[in-house]
Amino acid sequence: MTPLRIRTASRLHFGLLGWGPHAPRQFGGVGLMVEHPGLELTATPADEFQAVGRLSDRVASLLDRMREKEASGSGLRPARIEVVAAPDEHMGLGVGTQLSLAVAGLLLTLSGVGEPSVEALARLSERGRRSGVGLHGFLHGGLVVDGGHKVADDVPPLVSRMDFPPEWSILIVRPPGPEGRHGAEEALAFAELPPCPERVTERLCRLVLLDLLSAVAEHDLAAFGAAVSELQHRVGTAFAPAQGGVYATPESETLVDDFARLGLVGGGQSSWGPLLYAFGDLSAEERQAVADWLVDRRGLDRSEILWTRARNQGASITSL
């Protein structure tokens, strides 16, 4: 069996759409896959399951869980998995989901499953239990909307998937602050979160369907930015009881305001943060000027400022 390499993107999450006992479908959401920072892993057939390189403890834990499962009626073949590149986890980039799906995709492919289905990937990785954006984004890339859960542990359906304008620059900033909520802490936060009022869900769904998606279809950057900004404010307000404000920290709110003053649109926080994003149609010189301003005026570390583009394709698996 030929050794394999997988490359997948990171995920920006713009917000969930609805939750609570009144909602016939739970969560739903909208987000975007971005080229950088991405994840790269390799898999080599071996006599036993092994994890090496970055995040090896994390991958070893994934392998322990996955090898206990069956995929398409057959056992998984042992492999040596190496994480070649990956951003830090719990920053708002959906790294845990992409890592789990990448490992699952490699194992299924090495085991002769062929092109893994969304159901097989979700089952083996145990991902997509709340938001389906990262799951569908892994398979398809681009701008993704999922329809939420009809019943617990089902696969949230892919409602919309669009190519994102490649000419739009995407600013990613990691401000100072704690990691985003994850694991048991995240589960507790959701358990204690007040239900999203039905009128808010109605407005969020309208924003996504009639404003955000339509703006992307027409390559209308200003309209897209306005839709994302309102979506972020409404979702952030709903999550304020859990995170202490519309954003994870007051510093994050200041930076989002800065983005608008610097000529960017659609500034917001990805998932629980602390990672922030904004969009623009800027030249290389203008992008450099924005980064310089954030370093000089806000004291940000230049290594925490990144310009990237959308990734309009799913994870790619190739032979080594």
Side-chain angles (χ1 to χ4, degrees):
M1 179 64 68
T2 304
L4 301 176
R5 182 186 305 273
I6 191 168
R7 167 78 166 83
T8 185
S10 290
R11 180 271 294 138
L12 300 179
H13 204 292
F14 300 156
L16 299 172
L17 303 178
W19 58 89
H22 68 279
R25 305 193 73 96
Q26 295 296 308
F27 305 119
V30 55
L32 176 69
M33 305 305 290
V34 295
E35 282 284 0
H36 302 290
L39 290 82
E40 185 177 324
L41 290 77
T42 62
T44 306
D47 294 331
E48 60 183 17
F49 290 93
Q50 304 172 45
V52 298
R54 293 198 60 200
L55 302 173
S56 58
D57 290 345
R58 182 82 163 83
V59 173
S61 178
L62 291 172
L63 291 173
D64 286 342
R65 293 206 310 267
M66 291 180 183
R67 67 184 179 182
E68 296 175 357
K69 294 179 176 289
E70 292 281 324
S72 299
S74 62
L76 297 173
R77 295 179 181 175
R80 179 180 185 270
I81 305 293
E82 179 177 2
V83 177
V84 178
D88 293 337
E89 292 191 90
H90 315 310
M91 293 294 113
L93 288 169
V95 173
T97 293
Q98 296 305 304
L99 181 66
S100 298
L101 290 167
V103 172
L106 287 170
L107 293 180
L108 290 169
T109 303
L110 281 177
S111 300
V113 172
E115 187 172 343
S117 67
V118 65
E119 291 81 11
L121 286 167
R123 177 180 178 273
L124 190 60
S125 68
E126 299 180 341
R127 291 290 170 164
R129 290 183 168 181
R130 183 168 293 113
S131 170
V133 170
L135 175 63
H136 293 296
F138 175 84
L139 283 168
H140 305 293
L143 180 69
V144 170
V145 181
D146 82 86
H149 296 274
K150 187 174 182 180
V151 297
D153 294 334
D154 65 355
V155 176
L158 178 63
V159 173
S160 175
R161 184 269 166 204
M162 299 178 68
D163 276 354
F164 195 78
E167 68 272 18
W168 291 356
S169 304
I170 305 168
L171 173 67
I172 292 177
V173 172
R174 176 179 168 178
E179 292 182 347
R181 286 173 172 79
H182 58 278
E185 183 185 8
E186 182 183 32
L188 179 61
F190 272 105
E192 295 179 346
L193 195 67
C196 183
E198 188 169 2
R199 66 183 183 280
V200 174
T201 293
E202 291 171 353
R203 178 58 183 166
L204 294 175
C205 291
R206 183 192 186 283
L207 275 170
V208 171
L209 177 61
L210 298 182
D211 296 344
L212 192 153
L213 294 181
S214 296
V216 170
E218 295 178 341
H219 287 221
D220 186 337
L221 178 60
F224 169 77
V228 173
S229 293
E230 183 179 345
L231 183 77
Q232 273 281 292
H233 182 76
R234 289 181 179 272
V235 173
T237 299
F239 274 77
Q243 64 181 7
V246 175
Y247 299 98
T249 66
E251 292 78 12
S252 292
E253 186 166 3
T254 297
L255 284 168
V256 170
D257 290 340
D258 288 337
F259 297 159
R261 286 193 289 269
L262 291 168
L264 302 170
V265 301
Q269 173 182 293
S270 182
S271 188
W272 292 102
L275 185 132
L276 306 174
Y277 57 78
F279 303 86
D281 187 5
L282 306 181
S283 66
E285 293 77 13
E286 289 170 327
R287 295 195 297 271
Q288 183 64 52
V290 169
D292 290 343
W293 191 95
L294 293 172
V295 170
D296 296 339
R297 298 292 295 274
R298 294 295 179 232
L300 295 182
D301 190 315
R302 196 172 293 274
S303 66
E304 307 294 357
I305 302 169
L306 171 69
W307 287 98
T308 187
R309 305 277 178 176
R311 181 176 173 88
N312 286 321
Q313 65 183 74
S316 59
I317 298 181
T318 56
S319 300
L320 280 175

